[in-house]
């Protein structure tokens, strides 16, 4: 598929212009009314995209993916339904479970809450992109070692949230880990092991408190 | 009689999941990840009325939506709707967006009907009948033993309490659903299920196909907890869509669908009267309980029924007892089996009543349990737990905690009488001349570590490492296995793998002349089997597994009397699990049971609006699950009893949690909150700080 999307679609879109409008209008009132009106006219004259499919280029795990998508398609759907990257999971499609967490220029986001067209020009990392040369990252290794997963459906989301945390905070406290995972749900109840795994990935070992006692 | 080895390298030790890498890298393909060639998106249209007579459904406008390839009816052009969210029709198209447009386009002619949403209203004679012609609330049949009235007269202390539990929703992180491909050659369903065999049989039955024409595959699935046993309306609809569209259809439920229509735990309203002699011996018990399983008595699965009945007086033997129970039909989605069906509500009601009685008797509630629990294993568990928990040092009289934030402790017990092995379980292993070995069992791994259990046992018995064992599960083409429910999976497959390994070693001996093919002889023996691999078939064997399982739990809480906020500071679970197979994954499962029980105790409740018949919280923003910050330190004591063989643990781990937490709260504030979930509003009302809301 040929991609005809602009190289840097975020540079001067109608959206960014309108976003800045609020502050501009508030600080420099009447003097600028004319300019504002002119700009608005220009913005409205810009081609409205959709409702039909438009070419979209995503930068995922360091690779360019070119797709033809209706503008209303989310980043999560683009990954899961239009490419083969099904690592990010759908648990709610409405910003409440975190199963869809991906990195957006290193920040964890809910992929179900971002339109694919808005994600253009940003570096997206999914769980499939964490292992380098077949070597799992520290968080992935710790998840396996601490058994921080059962069904595993929430796992990619938690792994991404904790990977993002460790990128900016090398030695998080337990509370900081909990805060970073506040947007992720796990119904199998792996939370104690997830916490242990996150701390382990940061270099802090927590021994299991489980005791085995013989009945006889 | 066969027996498990006593000196072990892997059994009873820690083995990390053999599918861990697949799960942490996103390589594991769940039912919702399947991208069959040319697949379409499927979606269900659901009723927007709690009760209605539909006289016409026009699918034509949906079929005109660009990208839509098929539209089918759930039942027929005319149908009666009995709950908000009931399936009406389904569409398949090239995108989610096309399906959303198509659902909006479908035209329905319907007449809303009277409905009833709340148990108390449904019991009234004047209530609209959920099933016309039959009562919403059939007369309960009492079960009685001894002489209850006379026994109450002999009691030194009698309590009467009212304990209620809400409708709880399974909410696995992966919703229900399938990708179904129906061609002239037959039907393949990649299903998010706990029972590939029951899905196959259900699809074959509903679609009038031979069982042999239906194949169900579940490589990975995202949790079930009892809701995912059957083919479900969504499975049948996906198949019909696939047939009509001549393409595979992926139909996964939305989170809303999941909360409305595919099962829940029935509510309970337990009126309990109980009395004891001065030394604490229970003498008399009387209970009346009703609850709702929605429009149904509850679909059944491998995990027991999903009805409204609960086992009372639960763990305790009372010589004189009378129990009356009944289900109340309301216009809401049907209940289904849900992790230890019936037991968590029974445990909550009964264990709350025990603590209330202990207060009246002036006894330590732990002593009252030791006095009356006839089970020797739980007796031991209470003692072990009390010591580790520091019960004696921590226990204070209810309400004696000082200050604004009050602390309290509580305990409760669990039993899971079902469980045990499924005798029909089979499996096979293929051994190749290069020494590789692949096990194939028609069971599924729902997150409990089933694959790893197979690898651990095989490695132990064959003298290999778990990493050398290839395990294939989740395909109805493999020898039949059990559904994953009712704490039966591990006791079903472990003896089966034992049998396969025993037979494999026997066959290797006959075929190669090497007397013991285990361990260091393995590769030499395999080399001598010739060009073709050998396949060994095995089946479940008696004497290697058992049931029941039980356990006790202790909780320590803090209650902020100004905000009503409950913080669980600590949980201790003491559980008997027969022969431990894999300590690591077992610990995960117990943690999971406790955390799910915490949700039941403090957060979870389906809220119905009685005026509209609509579920008000069918999503995670208003149906609260425990999050990582809610989860306290959890300690586990595993009571290893290898002489009992393999025992399942999935159910008992979640049973006593709510009772233990509720008792800890009552111990902290000196007032009983008899209704789950224990919300800040209920605490403040109980303390007289806000007026009570009507439940
Ligand atoms: S799927 Fe995005 S938060 Fe749940
Ligand atoms: S492991 Fe199943 S939801 Fe977290």
């Amino acid at each position: 598929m040929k991609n005809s999307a602009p190289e840097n679609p975020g540079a001067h879109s109608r959206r960014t212009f309108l976003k800045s409008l609020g502050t501009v209008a508030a600080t420099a009132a009447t003097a600028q009314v004319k300019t504002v009106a002119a700009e608005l006219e220009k913005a409205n004259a810009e081609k409205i995209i959709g409702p039909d499919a438009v070419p979209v280029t995503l930068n995922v795990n360091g690779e360019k993916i070119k797709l033809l998508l209706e503008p209303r398609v989310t980043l999560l759907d683009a990954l899961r339904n239009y490419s083969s990257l099904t690592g990010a999971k759908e648990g709610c499609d409405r910003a409440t479970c975190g199963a869809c967490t991906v990195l957006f220029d290193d920040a964890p986001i809910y992929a179900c809450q971002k339109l694919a067209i808005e994600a253009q020009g940003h570096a997206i990392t999914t769980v499939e992109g964490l292992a380098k040369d077949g070597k799992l990252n520290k968080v992935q290794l710790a998840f396996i070692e601490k058994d921080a997963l059962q069904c595993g459906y929430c796992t990619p989301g938690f792994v991404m949230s904790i990977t993002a945390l460790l990128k900016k905070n090398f030695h998080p406290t337990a509370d900081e880990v909990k805060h970073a995972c506040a947007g992720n749900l796990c119904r199998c109840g792996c939370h104690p092991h997830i916490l242990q795994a996150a701390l382990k990935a940061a270099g802090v070992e927590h021994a299991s408190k489980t005791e085995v006692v013989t009945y006889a | 009689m066969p027996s498990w080895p006593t000196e072990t390298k892997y059994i009873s030790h820690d083995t990390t999941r053999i599918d861990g890498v697949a799960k942490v890298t996103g390589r594991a393909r769940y039912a919702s990840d399947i991208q069959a060639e040319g697949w379409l998106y499927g979606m269900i249209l659901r009723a927007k009325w709690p009760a209605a007579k539909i006289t016409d459904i026009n699918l034509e406008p949906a079929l005109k939506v660009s990208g839509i390839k098929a539209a089918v009816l759930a039942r027929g052009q005319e149908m009666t709707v009995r709950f908000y969210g009931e399936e009406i029709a389904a569409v398949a198209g090239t995108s989610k967006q096309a399906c959303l447009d198509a659902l909006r386009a479908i035209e329905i002619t319907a007449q809303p009907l009277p409905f009833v949403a709340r148990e108390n209203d449904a019991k009234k004679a004047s209530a609209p009948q959920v099933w016309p012609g039959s009562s919403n609330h059939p007369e309960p049949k009492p079960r009685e033993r001894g002489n209850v009235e006379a026994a109450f007269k002999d009691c030194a202390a009698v309590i009467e309490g009212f304990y209620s539990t809400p409708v709880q929703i399974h909410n696995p992180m992966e919703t229900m659903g399938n990708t179904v491909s129906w061609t002239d050659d037959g039907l393949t369903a990649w299903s998010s299920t706990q029972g590939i065999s029951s899905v196959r049989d259900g699809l074959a039955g509903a679609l009038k196909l031979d069982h042999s024409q239906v194949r169900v595959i579940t490589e990975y699935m995202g949790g079930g907890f009892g809701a995912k046993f059957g083919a479900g309306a969504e499975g049948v609809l996906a198949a019909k869509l696939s047939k009509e569209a001549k393409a595979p259809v992926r139909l996964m439920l939305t989170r809303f669908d999941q909360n409305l229509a595919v099962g829940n735990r029935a509510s309970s309203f337990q009126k309990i009267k109980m009395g004891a002699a001065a030394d604490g011996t229970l003498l008399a018990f009387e209970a009346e309980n009703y609850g709702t399983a929605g429009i149904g008595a509850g679909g059944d699965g491998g995990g027991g029924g999903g009805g409204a009945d609960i086992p009372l007086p639960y763990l305790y033997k009372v010589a004189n007892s009378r129990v009356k129970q009944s289900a109340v039909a309301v216009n809401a989605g049907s209940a289904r089996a849900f992790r230890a069906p019936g037991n968590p509500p029974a445990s909550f009601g009964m264990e709350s009543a025990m603590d209330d009685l202990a207060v009246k008797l002036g006894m330590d509630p732990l002593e009252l349990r030791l006095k009356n629990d006839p089970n020797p294993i739980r007796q031991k568990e209470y003692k072990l737990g009390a010591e580790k928990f520091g019960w004696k040092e921590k226990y204070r009289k209810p309400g004696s905690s000082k200050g604004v934030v009050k602390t309290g402790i509580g305990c409760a017990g669990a039993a899971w009488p079902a469980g045990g092995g499924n005798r029909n379980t089979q499996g096979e292993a293929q051994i190749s001349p290069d020494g590789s070995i692949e096990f194939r069992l028609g069971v599924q791994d729902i997150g409990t570590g089933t694959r790893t259990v197979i690898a651990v046992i095989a490695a132990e018995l064959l003298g290999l490492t778990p990493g050398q064992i290839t395990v294939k599960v989740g395909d109805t083409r493999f020898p039949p296995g059990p559904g994953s429910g009712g704490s039966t999976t591990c006791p079903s497959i472990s003896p089966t793998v034992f049998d396969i390994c025993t037979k494999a070693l026997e066959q290797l001996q006959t075929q190669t002349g090497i007397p013991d093919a285990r361990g260091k002889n393995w590769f030499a023996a395999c080399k001598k089997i010739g060009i073709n691999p050998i396949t060994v078939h095995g089946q479940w064997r008696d004497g290697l597994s058992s049931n029941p399982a039980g356990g006790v739990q202790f909780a320590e809480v803090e209650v902020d009397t100004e905000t009503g906020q409950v913080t669980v500071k600590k949980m201790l679970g003491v559980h008997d699990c027969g022969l431990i197979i894999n300590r690591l994954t077992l610990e995960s499962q117990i943690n999971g049971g406790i955390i799910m029980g915490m949700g039941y105790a403090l957060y979870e409740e389906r809220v119905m609006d009685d005026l509209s018949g609509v579920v008000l919280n069918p999503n995670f923003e208003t149906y609260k699950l425990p999050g990582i910050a809610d989860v306290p330190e959890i300690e586990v004591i595993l009571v290893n009893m290898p002489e009992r063989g393999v025992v399942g643990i999935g159910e008992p781990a979640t049973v006593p949690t709510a009772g233990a937490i509720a008792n800890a709260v009552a111990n902290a504030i000196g007032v009983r909150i008899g209704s789950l979930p224990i919300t800040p509003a209920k605490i403040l009302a109980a303390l007289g700080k806000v007026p009570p809301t009507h439940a």
Side-chain angles (χ1 to χ4, degrees), chain A residues 70 72-74 77 79-94 96-97 99 127-128 130-131 136 140 143-147 149-156 158-159 177-179 181-182 184-196 208-216, chain B residues 16-17 20-21 23-26 28-30 32-33 35 39 41 95-97 101 168-174 221-223 225 250 255-256 338 376-377 380 384 388 446-447 580 583-585 587-589 591-592 595-596 604 619-621 625-629 631 633-641:
Chain A
E70 284 183 37
R72 58 176 165 166
V73 172
T74 62
D77 282 344
L79 295 169
R80 293 180 50 78
N81 300 343
Y82 295 87
S83 79
S84 57
L85 294 166
T86 55
K89 302 292 184 232
E90 179 181 319
C92 68
D93 209 19
R94 53 189 285 123
T96 54
C97 76
V127 74
E128 289 98 332
L130 293 182
L136 305 189
Q140 292 172 308
F143 262 62
I144 296 173
E145 191 190 318
K146 295 291 175 187
D147 203 42
L149 61 154
Q150 291 179 60
C151 79
Y153 201 77
C154 69
T155 309
F158 274 99
V159 167
V177 171
K178 289 180 183 181
H179 186 76
C181 296
N184 296 80
L185 292 176
C186 171
R187 186 52 154 168
C188 295
C190 302
H191 312 83
H193 285 180
I194 290 169
L195 179 60
Q196 283 175 17
S208 156
K209 291 220 168 165
T210 297
E211 215 183 291
V212 179
V213 178
T214 309
Y215 178 72
Chain B
T16 56
R17 271 167 216 266
V21 174
K23 286 181 177 178
V24 301
T25 54
R29 294 269 165 169
Y30 293 74
S32 54
D33 298 335
Q35 298 177 323
W39 70 279
Y41 211 93
S95 71
K96 185 192 266 186
Q97 290 67 31
D101 292 346
Q168 185 188 22
I169 300 176
H170 303 74
N171 266 321
M173 289 310 297
E174 183 184 41
M221 60 83 75
F225 313 111
R250 184 210 283 172
R255 185 54 59 187
F256 274 60
F338 191 161
I377 304 177
K380 166 117 180 178
L384 280 169
K388 173 128 182 171
I446 63 169
I580 295 168
R583 203 203 58 89
L584 183 63
T585 51
E587 181 183 295
S588 289
Q589 229 184 325
N591 285 344
I595 293 164
M596 189 173 263
E604 296 181 41
N619 51 56
F620 289 138
E621 54 269 40
L625 301 185
I628 195 165
V631 174
E633 180 185 65
I634 297 178
E635 282 183 40
V636 179
I637 300 179
L638 301 169
V639 181
N640 193 23
M641 301 174 74

Side-chain angles (χ1 to χ4, degrees), chain B residues 493-512:
Chain B
I493 58 164
S494 303
T496 308
V497 175
F498 184 101
D499 191 50
I500 299 168
C501 292
T502 312
K503 288 184 175 145
L505 292 172
E506 281 165 12
Q507 192 166 335
L508 282 171
Q509 186 184 2
T510 348
Q511 209 159 322
T512 67

